[in-house]
Amino acid sequence: MTTASTPADVARADQARATDGASRTGSSLGYLRHAAGKLGGALVSLLAVLVTSFFLFRIIPGDPVKAMTHGVPTTAEQLATLRRQFGLDLPLWQQFTDYCAKALSGDLGTSFQFRAPVGDLIAEKLPATLLLTGVAVVIYSALGLWLGTRSAWRHGGLGDKLNTGIALTLWSVPSFWLGLLLIIVFSVGMGPIPGLFPTGGMESGTGETGLGYVLDVAHHLVLPVVTLVAVGYAQTLLVMRSSLLDEMGGDYLTTARAKGLRDDVVRRRHAVPNALLPTVTMIFINLGHVAAGSILVETVFSWPGLGGLFYQALSVPDLPLVQGLFVVFAGAMILMNLIADLLYPLLDPRVGR
């Protein structure tokens, strides 16, 4: 049997719907303001990167033209002609305005030493960097989250002390030193340990195709990935452990346990999601490193990626190339931080209010 709604009931229902709609509208407007602010900050950061990339590398000692003609008999007139071709004879302010105008249109200039567009050089080396750092970031982010969660949930135990000690030790180890150590032990061989892996490069150059080529690349990938994972997972572990420890004293966890939920369910469904916010930033920073690569590790292992290309460009210095790479590296970090900032209000509605 149904009862008829009174005018008062109808009025209350209409008011509730209006309040709910206003709340959703206010939440949407709040998120849009939050997103607009973060987008504006990202654009300002990108402009700062353009300015920094231009002036920073001009304080590097050395003459690019003389470096490129080193060992080749060159007259003063020829040097002046090369400077004019590369635009190095123009006033600094004019070089800067030309650089900004081209960069904003997507033209990163032409490399001094390779005589090729910087964008083409970056596109050629990018897949190797994405392969190396992409695999490493996925592994050490997952490993750091898992070990950090276990260490915090059982803090004070033997496993926590062991994991934290190893993480702190590896975090303090320079990546190039660890890479050289792995080459000495597992590539050259030491004592009873034979040389199992190649000393560098991405492939053996034997003309392998198909599955043989994939296995060859994977064989070359092992040591540089292990180097990046060993150094990278520690930071994620320590951040996740600290965040989860802060959440473990929360009343909502006591309430969840009082409802009869298993400890494993309390950890997975309640504690970990709330502890993920600081770690989200860390994960997206790690994803930004996928494009930036690792200059030191790629140089040590002669990996043909953007890190090795950046090292080559610095040695000249090849100004358009180092500037273009710097913009790509910093732009990737800015983009990943922007995505993290935009995700925060979706993970925690309190953010951005």
Side-chain angles (χ1 to χ4, degrees):
M1 180 176 180
T2 59
T3 58
S5 298
T6 66
D9 292 335
V10 174
R12 281 194 295 269
D14 290 342
Q15 184 179 4
R17 284 194 294 270
T19 302
D20 185 57
S23 176
R24 286 197 297 267
T25 302
S27 177
S28 300
L29 290 175
Y31 180 78
L32 290 176
R33 285 194 296 268
H34 173 79
K38 295 302 180 181
L39 183 59
L43 292 176
V44 171
S45 298
L46 187 57
L47 290 176
V49 165
L50 288 177
V51 175
T52 303
S53 66
F54 179 84
F55 291 103
L56 176 65
F57 298 110
R58 274 162 175 74
I59 65 176
I60 300 175
D63 186 339
V65 173
K66 289 184 177 179
M68 286 185 293
T69 57
H70 180 71
V72 179
T74 311
T75 65
E77 290 77 11
Q78 290 172 324
L79 291 176
T81 300
L82 286 174
R83 289 193 177 91
R84 186 165 56 254
Q85 289 177 352
F86 295 135
L88 297 175
D89 61 327
L90 298 174
L92 191 61
W93 67 267
Q94 190 172 349
Q95 293 183 44
F96 175 67
T97 55
D98 290 346
Y99 163 70
C100 288
K102 290 180 178 178
L104 291 175
S105 66
D107 181 4
L108 297 177
T110 301
S111 168
F112 290 166
Q113 58 180 324
F114 296 105
R115 307 293 180 89
V118 170
D120 292 347
L121 293 172
I122 292 175
E124 179 185 348
K125 299 292 185 179
L126 183 60
T129 290
L130 293 179
L131 175 64
L132 173 61
T133 55
V135 171
V137 164
V138 170
I139 293 175
Y140 71 64
S141 294
L143 186 63
L145 287 173
W146 179 62
L147 290 177
T149 300
R150 292 179 65 86
S151 293
W153 205 250
R154 297 177 174 84
H155 65 283
L158 178 61
D160 176 37
K161 294 178 180 178
L162 186 63
N163 283 331
T164 305
I166 293 175
L168 289 172
T169 301
L170 290 175
W171 196 10
S172 63
V173 172
S175 58
F176 71 89
W177 180 84
L178 181 60
L180 290 173
L181 185 64
L182 291 177
I183 288 176
I184 292 172
V185 175
F186 296 104
S187 293
V188 179
M190 176 181 288
I193 303 176
L196 300 173
F197 300 98
T199 56
M202 184 176 171
E203 56 185 81
S204 301
T206 56
E208 294 279 356
T209 58
L211 180 60
Y213 176 76
V214 172
L215 294 176
D216 184 37
V217 172
H219 191 213
H220 285 75
L221 198 62
V222 171
L223 290 187
V225 165
V226 168
T227 303
L228 291 174
V229 169
V231 176
Y233 94 97
Q235 191 174 14
T236 307
L237 182 151
L238 294 173
V239 170
M240 185 60 193
R241 179 181 181 275
S242 176
S243 300
L244 188 54
L245 284 175
D246 290 340
E247 295 293 331
M248 285 177 63
D251 293 336
Y252 68 96
L253 296 184
T254 303
T255 303
R257 291 190 178 96
K259 291 179 178 179
L261 296 179
R262 298 195 314 273
D263 195 59
D264 181 58
V265 175
V266 173
R267 183 185 75 243
R268 285 188 294 106
R269 294 186 181 178
H270 298 276
V272 171
N274 285 285
L276 275 178
L277 280 180
T279 316
V280 165
T281 300
M282 183 65 57
I283 292 173
F284 276 94
I285 289 176
N286 292 340
L287 290 175
H289 288 153
V290 172
S294 175
I295 297 172
L296 294 177
V297 172
E298 288 191 14
T299 302
V300 167
F301 287 96
S302 302
W303 191 262
L306 295 182
L309 185 64
F310 189 76
Y311 177 79
Q312 286 180 281
L314 279 176
S315 63
V316 174
D318 188 340
L319 295 178
L321 188 52
V322 292
Q323 288 169 181
L325 287 167
F326 184 82
V327 169
V328 170
F329 295 165
M333 298 299 297
I334 292 172
L335 177 61
M336 290 299 108
N337 275 286
L338 175 62
I339 294 175
D341 287 335
L342 295 179
L343 285 177
Y344 269 180
L346 304 179
L347 297 174
D348 187 347
R350 295 170 298 177
V351 178
R353 285 183 178 177

